[in-house]
Amino acid sequence: MPINVLMPALSPTMEKGNLAKWLKKEGDAIKSGDVIAEIETDKATMEVEAVDEGVLAKILVAEGTADVPVNELIALIAEDGEDPGSLEAPKGGAEAKTAPVEPKSTPDQNAAPDGAHASYARVDQAPEGARPNGAAEPAAQGSGGRVFASPLARRIAKQEGVDLSAVKGSGPHGRVIQRDVQAAMEGGTAKADAPAKPEAKAAAPAPEKAAPKAAPVGGAPAGLSLEQVKGFFEAGSFEEVPLDGMRKTIAKRLTEAMQVAPHFYLTVDCELDALMKLRETLNASAGKDKDGKPLFKLSVNDFVIKAMGLALTRVPTANAVWAEDRILRFKHAEVGVAVAIDGGLYTPVIRKADQKTLSAISNEMKDFAGRARAKKLKPEEYQGGVTSVSNLGMFGIKHFTAVINPPQSTILAVGAGEKRVVVRDGAPAVIQAMTCTLSCDHRVLDGALGAELISAFKELIENPMGMLV
């Protein structure tokens, strides 16, 4: 029986990927651990390993193909004793084994939906025709009456009011997948009971002409359509630049963040004189490697990361994220740091930032920044986190507000350090200061809690020796 190779889900949020390159050709022997393909996600290019043995019989998706849905059939592997040349893609009713494939750099298994290890290809969407599709028979259920369905199928069913328990799944083991829900919607079956609506007094007249609107990137209510926007400008006066995977993901996630997470903002000015003196002292004391280069060189941003990590542990109630119907509170601080790259950004996460030394944070960030710009970060290195730091001070920006990066609950916007005149003991004095603004998710932090967190951060920045003990 042939083995199906499916497009793997390389992160919990991945829905499509680009099949960049096949590293094996038809007829090649496949062993467990062999790298068979390169997959481009919105964030990186990753190598995919096979975990089954056989012969690569059929390549069904050519290299260079963009936007291949997760769990789409991309190749067939012939098992021992099968004739590779005789294999065909499964037709209606035909069955085949499913070969898990493993990305060389695997995401954090705790982030995988439904408890599955994220390194294996999900089977939420079986190849078309793999099983008869139905819409009215009950779905496969586990203990406690739970319906087995893919996350995408659940989301569509919730949005459209479809009762999943009445949908027959065509995925592996009867799992309900996207096309099953769509079939149920088209057939008019499996609709959940809707609450009775009061009778309208009078039907509103339909508009004479409604302008078509394009489906938005990110699931938001549609704004102006592509043609409407282009209609405002002279033809030939602009260039159309299609969105790449990273820009689509940024648009989607941050649009959702602004719609779902109720943001509020808290701003403080932090004096930097003591921090700048300590930084100079520590950098001067750095040891040298065999080539005579300093073992570390601390930046102001390294102090900011450390201060946010310590502030979260000093205000533990704020060291939390929102998770649907509850709050997850963490034992250690995980601080993401925005790194700008061409066409977008990464937010690598410093794990246990509260426990790491300033020099360790500095060296880790230099490594992250270099690999981020080369798009070589692993998913587990930029996923998760409780808060993030976005520093635009190097561009001369004094003050700005940043959008929270889900599932995080806060983000700190850091402005430029500058000389300012303040009043000290009734007389003018010159200090160095920077403005920092904390964006907070009001579902997790109330105003007083957010104020407590940013006040703890300010105290650490202005008294930086506290970061060394």
Side-chain angles (χ1 to χ4, degrees):
M1 183 179 295
I3 301 169
N4 288 348
V5 180
L6 309 179
M7 171 62 89
L10 302 179
S11 74
T13 58
M14 177 176 166
E15 295 179 357
K16 295 181 179 179
N18 301 336
L19 209 162
K21 186 177 182 181
W22 282 104
L23 301 177
K24 296 286 187 180
K25 61 182 183 296
E26 290 184 356
D28 284 355
I30 304 290
K31 293 187 298 183
S32 178
D34 282 354
V35 178
I36 61 173
E38 290 182 354
I39 304 295
E40 289 179 350
T41 70
D42 58 301
K43 293 287 190 180
T45 299
M46 302 184 67
E47 295 178 336
V48 177
E49 297 179 356
V51 294
D52 235 324
E53 296 186 353
V55 174
L56 185 57
K58 293 283 184 184
I59 291 177
L60 303 175
V61 175
E63 64 180 41
T65 303
D67 294 334
V68 181
V70 166
N71 293 326
E72 180 169 306
L73 184 63
I74 61 175
L76 292 175
I77 294 176
E79 290 188 302
D80 186 32
E82 288 184 311
D83 178 11
S86 67
L87 298 186
E88 297 291 341
K91 303 295 182 183
E95 294 197 6
K97 290 186 181 178
T98 298
V101 290
E102 186 169 350
K104 203 164 187 179
S105 301
T106 59
D108 180 1
Q109 67 178 19
N110 294 326
D114 294 342
H117 194 294
S119 65
Y120 288 91
R122 299 282 307 210
V123 196
D124 296 338
Q125 183 173 341
E128 289 296 331
R131 288 180 175 82
N133 187 19
E137 297 183 30
Q141 298 187 359
S143 59
R146 180 187 173 211
V147 176
F148 293 121
S150 72
L152 181 58
R154 288 184 182 279
R155 184 164 69 247
I156 295 173
K158 184 177 181 180
Q159 291 171 347
E160 302 297 332
V162 173
D163 181 6
L164 282 177
S165 65
V167 178
K168 182 182 178 182
S170 65
H173 309 294
R175 189 179 184 86
V176 177
I177 59 178
Q178 177 186 4
R179 67 158 182 260
D180 302 327
V181 178
Q182 291 172 335
M185 291 162 50
E186 292 168 2
T189 60
K191 274 286 185 180
D193 292 333
K197 294 183 179 179
E199 193 171 286
K201 293 182 179 178
E208 292 183 7
K209 185 177 182 181
K213 291 192 175 183
V217 175
L224 295 175
S225 70
L226 171 63
E227 295 306 318
Q228 286 173 321
V229 174
K230 290 166 64 175
F232 287 109
F233 306 98
E234 182 182 351
S237 65
F238 53 84
E239 175 189 0
E240 297 187 37
V241 181
L243 299 179
D244 61 13
M246 177 175 287
R247 182 51 58 185
K248 286 179 182 177
T249 299
I250 290 172
K252 178 179 179 179
R253 288 175 61 80
L254 297 189
T255 298
E256 289 175 348
M258 290 302 293
Q259 291 176 328
V260 173
H263 285 53
F264 70 92
Y265 309 96
L266 302 168
T267 301
V268 294
D269 292 328
C270 301
E271 295 188 20
L272 293 175
D273 296 283
L275 186 151
M276 299 305 288
K277 289 179 182 178
L278 178 61
R279 173 176 173 251
E280 183 178 359
T281 300
L282 293 175
N283 282 340
S285 68
K288 303 287 195 295
D289 62 15
K290 61 181 180 180
D291 298 322
K293 295 181 180 179
L295 295 175
F296 61 85
K297 185 176 181 181
L298 303 179
S299 68
V300 172
N301 214 45
D302 299 328
F303 284 88
V304 170
I305 297 166
K306 177 70 173 180
M308 273 305 296
L310 288 174
L312 285 168
T313 56
R314 292 186 179 186
V315 188
T317 310
N319 191 20
V321 300
W322 182 262
E324 189 176 11
D325 62 350
R326 66 201 65 192
I327 288 172
L328 307 183
R329 193 166 292 158
F330 298 90
K331 299 175 183 177
H332 297 288
E334 299 193 344
V335 181
V337 185
V339 176
I341 66 169
D342 186 27
L345 58 85
Y346 277 96
T347 310
V349 179
I350 302 293
R351 311 292 179 183
K352 298 185 178 179
D354 53 309
Q355 294 185 342
K356 291 180 177 174
T357 63
L358 286 162
S359 60
I361 289 172
S362 179
N363 290 331
E364 191 170 345
M365 272 311 305
K366 285 181 176 63
D367 173 59
F368 277 157
R371 289 194 289 118
R373 295 185 182 104
K375 294 191 174 182
K376 295 298 183 182
L377 287 178
K378 304 171 186 176
E380 63 265 29
E381 292 175 323
Y382 57 77
Q383 292 174 350
V386 173
T387 190
S388 283
V389 171
S390 179
N391 191 337
L392 296 181
M394 68 286 294
F395 299 104
I397 302 300
K398 179 179 180 179
H399 169 261
F400 69 104
T401 57
V403 181
I404 296 168
N405 182 28
Q408 299 174 6
S409 59
T410 57
I411 185 170
L412 185 74
V414 181
E418 60 181 2
K419 296 289 186 181
R420 299 182 189 175
V421 177
V422 298
V423 176
R424 286 280 171 80
D425 299 324
V430 177
I431 65 168
Q432 192 165 3
M434 67 181 180
T435 299
C436 297
T437 298
L438 186 69
S439 304
C440 303
D441 183 341
H442 217 321
R443 298 172 301 176
V444 181
L445 294 87
D446 294 322
L449 181 60
E452 190 178 352
L453 176 61
I454 199 167
S455 295
F457 168 81
K458 174 181 169 73
E459 172 70 19
L460 286 158
I461 291 292
E462 295 185 343
N463 299 276
M465 289 296 292
M467 300 188 217
L468 305 182
V469 296

